[in-house]
Amino acid sequence: MAKGPPPTAGQKRSLDRQIAANRRAHFDYELSDRYEAGMVLIGSEARSLRDNAADLTDAWVDIRNGEAWVKQLRIPALHHAAYAHEEKRPRKLLLRKSQIETLQGAVERDRMTLVVTKAYYKSGRVKLEIALGKGRKAHDKRRAIRDREAVKEARDAMRHR
């Protein structure tokens, strides 16, 4: 692949772009540590992701037998593909053994959940950002909404002054 001049500050490289984001995860969970993981895909899934087609709303990570698997990540099948993949099949994540052990310890010890927060390209490869999250209670969600609205009102007041 030919390399051109480096991108300027306002440009993004075509290889580094976001595919999908899970905005709901920021509302439902108190997110802490974040990890970057590669994902094992088949050809039709990779082509489908090039069309920015992915649904992360129900996606979560399960650790079994020393391997990390993303579950409920929906990648729609292509109509013109020779082999139509299953949309919500479990997909293996590529993480270091030490990272998997750290994540497994947090899940078992602290009763945390591994949530997929975004999918993106990095140097032409599909990556997932996964985060450790602790579920928020209803009153915590109301407090988050109240805080967000207070910040918005303050910003609007400063803008109108």
Side-chain angles (χ1 to χ4, degrees):
M1 182 158 66
K3 292 196 175 195
T8 60
Q11 287 179 322
K12 273 189 175 179
R13 284 210 259 137
S14 62
L15 296 177
D16 296 346
R17 64 182 171 91
Q18 186 167 313
I19 299 168
N22 186 357
R23 293 175 47 198
R24 183 76 188 180
H26 297 281
F27 183 69
D28 288 339
Y29 297 95
E30 191 68 42
L31 300 176
S32 58
D33 297 342
R34 296 171 192 272
Y35 295 87
E36 179 181 83
M39 188 170 40
V40 177
L41 298 171
I42 58 175
S44 61
E45 291 171 336
R47 287 191 305 257
S48 181
L49 287 174
R50 275 190 229 130
D51 296 334
N52 287 342
D55 183 15
L56 306 176
T57 51
D58 297 329
W60 57 283
V61 177
D62 187 25
I63 298 176
R64 294 275 182 246
N65 302 326
E67 295 180 335
W69 296 83
V70 64
K71 306 232 175 151
Q72 297 297 315
L73 170 65
R74 183 177 170 274
I75 300 176
L78 292 174
H79 300 292
H80 58 278
Y83 171 75
H85 63 270
E86 185 181 335
E87 291 187 354
K88 286 193 172 185
R89 74 176 184 88
R91 294 170 180 91
K92 187 175 180 178
L93 292 180
L94 305 173
L95 289 164
R96 290 188 171 89
K97 187 176 181 180
S98 60
Q99 290 175 324
I100 292 173
E101 290 169 355
T102 302
L103 293 172
Q104 188 171 15
V107 168
E108 291 173 356
R109 181 182 59 252
D110 300 332
R111 307 296 298 158
M112 298 186 94
T113 304
L114 291 170
V115 183
V116 179
T117 55
K118 77 177 146 174
Y120 55 94
Y121 284 104
K122 183 175 181 182
S123 301
R125 304 206 184 257
V126 177
K127 303 287 183 178
L128 291 180
E129 181 184 78
I130 59 176
L132 281 167
K134 195 153 192 105
R136 284 187 178 166
K137 305 274 192 265
H139 64 276
D140 292 335
K141 291 179 185 180
R142 287 192 294 269
R143 184 179 303 133
I145 292 170
R146 189 170 46 242
D147 293 344
R148 187 172 54 231
E149 287 176 354
V151 168
K152 182 180 175 191
E153 287 174 5
R155 194 175 339 127
D156 289 345
M158 294 295 287
R159 188 178 309 137
H160 285 74
R161 273 225 170 244

